[in-house]
Amino acid sequence: MNDITGKRVSLRSAEAEGFVFCKPETLQRIINKDLPKGDLFGVAKAAALLASKKTSDLIPHCHPVSIDSFDIQFETFQEKATCGVKITASAKSIGRTGIEMEVLTGLSVASLVIYDLLKPIDKDLVISSIHLTEKKGGKSDLQITKFAEGSKAAILVCSDSTFEGKREDGSGKAISELLKSHSVEVIDLKIVPDEPTEIKKVISEWVNEKVDLIVSSGGTGLGPRDNTTDTIRPMLDQEIPGIAEAMRSFGQDRTPFSMLSRSLGGRIGKTIIVCVPGSTNGARESLQAILPGIFHAKKMMRGSGH
């Protein structure tokens, strides 16, 4: 199965629909509840619930997910030459991966149960058009991903050893790759020593260039040369505590040392500034915790509401 440990836990939802077509006389017997095998929709609903919970057992690459809500509805219809049952299903989950396969599996099994219960009286049954109609949550949610599109970012690696050429930069490259994967243009990447004067100079230049996001890497720990957070905090017009809270919470699920990070988030003018740890994993995980939703700040800072 794909590795989903890098994904955030979020509210996810999905909706799907499908059809079972039948003869007009079969439809009438459904409406009249005159069927040889008894309750049609009650049995189909129960089967759908059970099937949705078994999705990961049936489909090899599906992760087990918590189904926090599942609903399935049945509607009889007759339109010109076609008639039958329309089935709609929806579900919600708070987790790291989507719930669309659980919805589709439950709906599919409900269709099969309806087919099974009607086949003694109708040899022309057709199951058709089972498809996803809506999916929300996670990286694929267009309401979130669109905030990052067209944004510009700059990366500042604050490290004495990297600046002196004693250590290769890993965090800056990881940050750049992650930003580009969210359709963010990385306009610059600079490496400076962990010196307040150098940090202030570069940050100020990028703010004047109206960069949407500045990510600094390094200097968030408790070492004697960890100056980045202390240098940038007084420069902020506003601190945004939720950014650091999200990064540390996400990191704490992966390492107990995340609580020692002095990560920071805030804004100068209309530029968001985020300070992340200097380790490659720490930097990557911190950005995974806040991307792409952090770019919603652009809309808010420009007075376009929430």
Side-chain angles (χ1 to χ4, degrees):
M1 293 188 291
N2 289 336
D3 184 359
I4 61 171
T5 57
K7 293 186 176 183
R8 300 186 313 277
V9 172
S10 64
L11 174 63
R12 301 169 188 263
S13 63
E15 297 179 4
E17 69 178 22
F19 299 84
V20 179
F21 295 102
C22 64
K23 295 177 180 178
E25 53 266 34
T26 303
L27 179 64
Q28 193 58 50
R29 292 187 66 172
I30 293 172
I31 295 171
N32 295 337
K33 298 182 180 180
D34 175 27
L35 298 172
K37 292 187 178 181
D39 183 9
L40 180 66
F41 297 142
V43 176
K45 181 176 182 179
L49 294 172
L50 292 172
S52 66
K53 297 174 184 178
K54 290 289 186 180
T55 301
S56 62
D57 293 336
L58 300 170
I59 301 177
H61 284 281
C62 277
H63 294 80
V65 301
S66 170
I67 303 175
D68 300 311
S69 169
F70 188 95
D71 181 63
I72 188 158
Q73 299 290 330
F74 306 95
E75 178 186 354
T76 57
F77 69 92
Q78 185 163 10
E79 299 174 358
K80 297 181 180 179
T82 63
C83 62
V85 178
K86 177 182 178 181
I87 310 167
T88 56
S90 62
K92 293 180 181 179
S93 175
I94 296 179
R96 288 194 174 91
T97 189
I99 197 168
E100 67 272 18
M101 293 308 300
E102 285 69 22
V103 171
L104 289 167
T105 300
L107 192 149
S108 297
V109 170
S111 302
L112 289 170
V113 169
I114 291 174
Y115 188 101
D116 178 57
L117 297 185
L118 295 180
K119 71 179 193 289
I121 60 171
D122 193 333
K123 304 303 180 184
D124 296 327
L125 297 170
V126 175
I127 296 174
S128 179
S129 303
I130 293 175
H131 64 285
L132 194 69
T133 56
E134 184 177 75
K135 177 186 175 184
K136 291 183 179 179
K139 183 179 178 181
S140 63
D141 191 337
L142 294 178
Q143 295 299 313
I144 297 175
T145 57
K146 68 179 183 180
F147 296 136
E149 294 176 358
S151 298
K152 299 181 185 296
I155 302 165
L156 183 64
V157 177
C158 306
S159 168
D160 294 336
S161 58
T162 304
F163 180 75
E164 294 169 0
K166 297 177 181 178
R167 190 183 74 172
E168 185 178 353
D169 169 46
S171 63
K173 294 177 182 177
I175 292 168
S176 179
E177 290 174 1
L178 194 54
L179 288 170
K180 290 176 181 177
S181 74
H182 286 278
S183 302
V184 178
E185 180 185 356
V186 177
I187 64 167
D188 204 356
L189 191 161
K190 283 187 168 65
I191 301 173
V192 299
D194 206 344
E195 288 288 347
T197 302
E198 293 292 330
I199 295 170
K200 288 180 181 178
K201 177 184 175 183
V202 177
I203 293 289
S204 297
E205 289 175 356
W206 285 338
V207 169
N208 289 335
E209 293 173 13
K210 300 186 181 343
V211 174
D212 296 307
L213 174 68
I214 297 172
V215 182
S216 75
S217 163
T220 63
L222 303 174
R225 290 286 294 167
D226 286 331
N227 298 316
T228 308
T229 298
D230 298 322
T231 301
I232 293 178
R233 179 174 276 112
M235 299 178 68
L236 300 176
D237 293 331
Q238 284 182 320
E239 186 171 348
I240 309 174
I243 294 175
E245 291 169 6
M247 292 191 294
R248 278 191 286 271
S249 175
F250 190 79
Q252 196 66 26
D253 289 337
R254 289 150 181 80
T255 170
F257 305 132
S258 177
M259 63 183 174
L260 301 176
S261 169
R262 296 187 300 127
S263 298
L264 177 70
R267 74 173 182 92
I268 303 175
K270 291 183 174 63
T271 298
I272 296 295
I273 299 181
V274 178
C275 304
V276 304
S279 70
T280 301
N281 283 340
R284 182 186 294 111
E285 291 169 359
S286 295
L287 267 292
Q288 285 173 335
I290 61 175
L291 290 175
I294 190 173
F295 286 102
H296 183 45
K298 288 174 55 181
K299 180 180 178 183
M300 297 169 67
M301 291 186 299
R302 285 159 176 73
S304 300
H306 298 275

